[in-house]
Amino acid sequence: MRILGMMMVFIACSGIGITYSYIYKKRVEQLCEWKKGIVLLKNEINYSLTPLPEAFEIIGRKLEGVMNRFFDEIAALLKTNNNKTMSSLDEKVIKKLLIDSCLNEKDRKTIISFIKNLGLLDKESQMNNLELHINYIQQEIDAAKKDEEKNNKLFKTLGILSGIFIIVIFI
Amino acid sequence: MNGNRIENILSEKLKRVLENENVQTELQEIRLRVDKPIMIYWANKEFFIGTDLKLHTLDQNSLCATNDDIKEVLEYISKHSLYAYEEDIRNGYITIEGGHRIGLAGKVVLENGKVKTIRNVSCINIRVSHEIKGSADHVLPYIVTGGVIHHTLIISPPKCGKTTLLRDIVRQVSDGFMNFHGVNVGLVDERSEIGGCYRGIPQNDIGKRTDILDSCNKGEGLLMLIRAMAPQVIALDEIGNKDDIDAIEYAINAGCKIICTVHGNSIKDIKDKPRLQELIERKLFQRYIFLENQNNIGDIKKIYDEDHKMVSMLVDKRMLKES
């Protein structure tokens, strides 16, 4: 019984550590997926002049996981929500679409502000806006990768060690 | 939600007015100009919107359009994607789903002497597409006699319904009517008014044997149709310049029948157009249809033959009742 309890504490603590390190890894993946989406959006606008609702729908099909759902939902929102401009889209609704993501608050705010600025731009301004956003996301990805490298091992080790620490205390 | 509904592109305020007043059926135009009263043309009458959000015939404390209203409508029209309509904006209008045409005016940006775009749009004219099936019923027996289609020129001043009439002629010639079996029709719709194409698909019924070239220059489009689609009849709206007339002459020589429209009030008016005058004098057109407004759009139609003798005068029954 005692050994079983010790094992459970160890597994729980290690699990928490692994989950935290997993969030860092996933954040990098999701930021990369978001960047891929924006690059595809840039191509859709530049070469096909596809309107935003259709462009989001097309790109959604090419992405995976959270971003696949996010692009799909934004497309549906733009198609059905006829009497709302992009700038007046409800932030809470967009935030809700990212609830399952591993992105942090700053990432979410950046995405929301990017979406809200898409509405009334001509092609040239739209291209500049997208280019700027892609560069910014790339910087975020680089920083997130560094964070991942730094924190991945740290959280895993911390989880395992805190499990051992608790077991030692109780012994 | 019906994608063809005009309400989908209106601001919340305007949407409420249209719903309250129930004007959707005979709505013709909505005009928005920055800081000027919003005007609605409904059942051939001009209305203003009062502070009570109801329609009034007099301009007293009328609701004015703001810059934000214009921007909002523009965003809905372009489906949040202004960049996708830059070519249309350059031409001064956007055709939306349902075939409705949105005219734009404002600060024009020029590049090498040509219009690059319209920036700061300050005036919007929403022209509601009206498809009146059967509007050509009474004129068709004069255009098609004994199974033969005559080269026809429809002449009318603006807002007399010549595009509506041409659309119905195209539909019936294409689908067939009474004992006439339909024929292949080629339609060059330079300003997307006849077919009301949205992404290349006609939103109006233009018949099952009609091939449409949307947003295409009339002269070039006509030649493309002859080469590629082998139409028996070619329909064009608002002919005028030398290239159009040259192409028409080419099409007639190629054995195609031409049905087209032109702005004008009388034969004299159109004879003032030099190249068109030549075609008229050579009697290439076999039917001339003049449209006039008395009480309703195009309620009087006068039909002449190639010798300019009146063949018939058709008067709308509603007008006879009213008089």
Side-chain angles (χ1 to χ4, degrees), chain A residues 152-166:
Chain A
N152 192 11
K153 274 185 189 167
L154 175 79
F155 278 105
K156 273 184 195 164
T157 321
L158 210 65
I160 295 167
L161 286 178
S162 53
I164 295 170
F165 181 69
I166 293 168

Side-chain angles (χ1 to χ4, degrees), chain B residues 62-160:
Chain B
S62 305
L63 206 66
C64 290
T66 63
N67 204 14
D68 287 341
D69 287 331
I70 302 266
K71 278 187 179 168
E72 193 178 341
V73 171
L74 207 57
E75 190 168 337
Y76 299 145
I77 290 164
S78 66
K79 293 195 166 183
H80 318 280
S81 321
L82 214 52
Y83 58 85
Y85 295 90
E86 279 182 7
E87 185 62 39
D88 297 321
I89 293 170
R90 222 191 319 273
N91 292 327
Y93 63 87
I94 296 176
T95 304
I96 59 164
E97 213 171 341
H100 312 299
R101 208 169 117 169
I102 320 292
L104 308 169
K107 165 87 181 146
V108 174
V109 181
L110 297 174
E111 195 177 67
N112 301 326
K114 285 188 175 174
V115 177
K116 188 186 175 198
T117 187
I118 301 175
R119 213 172 278 279
N120 304 328
V121 173
S122 54
C123 311
I124 293 183
N125 175 19
I126 303 168
R127 290 182 71 181
V128 182
S129 167
H130 283 285
E131 190 180 14
I132 305 174
K133 288 189 177 176
S135 57
D137 285 356
H138 299 297
V139 297
L140 275 165
Y142 299 96
I143 297 174
V144 184
T145 50
V148 178
I149 302 165
H150 299 295
H151 299 298
T152 303
L153 184 62
I154 301 166
I155 304 148
S156 106
K159 289 194 164 190
C160 281

Side-chain angles (χ1 to χ4, degrees), chain B residues 181-193:
Chain B
H181 187 266
V183 293
N184 289 326
V185 180
L187 174 63
V188 189
D189 196 3
E190 188 168 350
R191 290 194 273 174
S192 306
E193 277 187 310

Side-chain angles (χ1 to χ4, degrees), chain A residues 50 52 54 83 86 119 123, chain B residues 10 75 80-81 83 86 199:
Chain A
T50 317
L52 288 176
E54 284 81 24
N83 279 79
M86 291 291 270
K123 192 179 162 190
Chain B
L10 299 177
E75 190 168 337
H80 318 280
S81 321
Y83 58 85
E86 279 182 7
R199 288 198 225 152

Side-chain angles (χ1 to χ4, degrees), chain A residues 119-141:
Chain A
L120 267 176
L121 296 177
D122 58 18
K123 192 179 162 190
E124 209 177 308
S125 319
Q126 200 74 267
M127 286 295 112
N128 293 337
N129 184 32
L130 289 164
E131 195 56 52
L132 201 72
H133 190 70
I134 290 167
N135 290 339
Y136 175 77
I137 293 288
Q138 188 53 55
Q139 284 172 16
E140 285 298 301
I141 291 171

Side-chain angles (χ1 to χ4, degrees), chain A residues 56 74 85-92 94 109-121 129, chain B residues 75:
Chain A
F56 272 91
I74 293 287
T85 58
M86 291 291 270
S87 55
S88 65
L89 281 178
D90 195 346
E91 284 191 21
K92 283 179 193 162
I94 308 176
K109 276 189 177 162
T110 309
I111 291 176
I112 290 167
S113 114
F114 169 77
I115 299 238
K116 289 181 121 196
N117 277 326
L118 281 176
L120 267 176
L121 296 177
N129 184 32
Chain B
E75 190 168 337

